[in-house]
Amino acid sequence: MAEDRRVRKTRKALRDALVALVLERGFAALSVEDITRRADVARATFYSHCRDKDELFARVTSDLLAELEARLRPAVAESAVGFTGRPVLEMLRHARDERDLYRIVLRGEGDGKPLRMFTEACARVTAEEFRTRSERNDVQPRIDPGLLARAWVGEQIAVLQWWVEHETVPMPAEEVVRMLLDLALRGRYWATGFAPPA
C-alpha cells in the first residue's frame, strides 16, 4: 500500500514536471535530467518508470484518455439516440480541470504523437458509439461511421484547442455545447445564416 502511494506520488511528480517544462520550453528542448530535477526524483527512479521522455509523455496522455473515458461513460450512456450535448460538456469540463495538459497535447508537442494518440482514441470510441446507436435505433447511416467519427472528433479537437488556449475561456462551456448541438442537429448551412434550400 505504501509502495503504491509512493509510485503514484512519483508518477504525479513526473507528470507535473513534464507539463510545466513543456509549457515553458517546448518538448524538444527537454532532457530527462530537466524532468527529474523539476520532479525532484533520481534518474534511476525515472528509468524505473519510463524508458525516455517520449514514453513518459505517451503514458501521461494514456492516463488523460483513461480519465476522459471514465468521465464520458455516464454521459454517453444516458441517451440511446445521443445528441444531448452532455459528452461534449463533460469533455470541456475535463479540459478545464486539466487545462495545461490538454494545451500541450493539442498543440502537437512531442512530434504530434500524443495528439495522434488522443485523436485516434477519440475517433475509435466515437465510431463505435455511432455504429451502436445506429443498430440500437435500427437506422442506416448515410455516411460511413468511421469517416463521420473523424469529422466529429476533428471538430471537437479544434474547438477544445481554441477553448483551452485562452487564459480566460472565450465563452462558457454550456454556451459552446449549445452552439455545437445546434450545428450537429441543423448543419453548417443553417449555422452560417442561410435558409435551408427549397
Side-chain angles (χ1 to χ4, degrees):
M1 186 70 86
E3 186 167 338
D4 287 349
R5 207 165 31 242
R6 198 162 45 245
V7 167
R8 283 196 304 272
K9 184 178 176 187
T10 300
R11 285 188 171 178
K12 183 178 184 331
L14 291 170
R15 172 191 191 271
D16 293 349
L18 174 76
V19 172
L21 288 166
V22 172
L23 286 172
E24 288 171 22
R25 304 182 203 170
F27 185 77
L30 295 184
S31 67
V32 168
E33 187 177 340
D34 294 327
I35 297 166
T36 57
R37 192 179 311 119
R38 179 66 65 95
D40 194 23
V41 300
R43 286 173 66 92
T45 303
F46 177 93
Y47 288 116
S48 72
H49 289 272
C50 309
R51 194 174 50 248
D52 53 26
K53 67 179 188 175
D54 293 281
E55 186 177 320
L56 173 62
F57 202 174
R59 179 174 291 157
V60 166
T61 304
S62 291
D63 291 345
L64 179 76
L65 285 164
E67 290 169 15
L68 177 60
E69 184 182 355
R71 287 181 67 157
L72 289 179
R73 204 172 299 119
V76 170
E78 76 180 20
S79 170
V81 176
F83 298 103
T84 63
R86 287 282 321 250
V88 178
L89 181 59
E90 201 53 51
M91 184 163 50
L92 286 166
R93 288 175 174 160
H94 188 242
R96 181 192 58 214
D97 295 345
E98 298 290 345
R99 180 174 176 259
D100 288 343
L101 180 50
Y102 269 86
R103 286 168 71 200
I104 67 172
V105 169
L106 297 176
R107 284 177 184 175
E109 291 282 359
D111 291 333
K113 290 175 192 164
L115 176 57
R116 286 193 297 278
M117 282 176 66
F118 189 89
T119 303
E120 290 302 318
C122 290
R124 187 175 54 254
V125 169
T126 302
E128 186 53 40
E129 182 59 27
F130 286 170
R131 285 186 194 95
T132 301
R133 285 180 184 168
S134 294
E135 290 168 11
R136 191 169 43 230
N137 291 284
D138 197 27
V139 296
Q140 186 63 41
R142 293 184 180 93
I143 296 175
D144 176 77
L147 175 63
L148 183 58
R150 288 193 170 278
W152 174 258
V153 167
E155 192 173 84
Q156 305 312 307
I157 287 174
V159 169
L160 266 177
Q161 185 180 37
W162 163 76
W163 200 71
V164 298
E165 284 296 341
H166 288 81
E167 290 303 319
T168 305
V169 293
M171 64 178 65
E174 294 78 9
E175 184 70 8
V176 173
V177 170
R178 185 190 63 75
M179 290 183 183
L180 289 175
L181 199 52
D182 278 344
L183 178 61
L185 295 173
R186 301 180 185 198
R188 287 174 179 79
Y189 197 74
W190 170 88
T192 54
F194 292 96

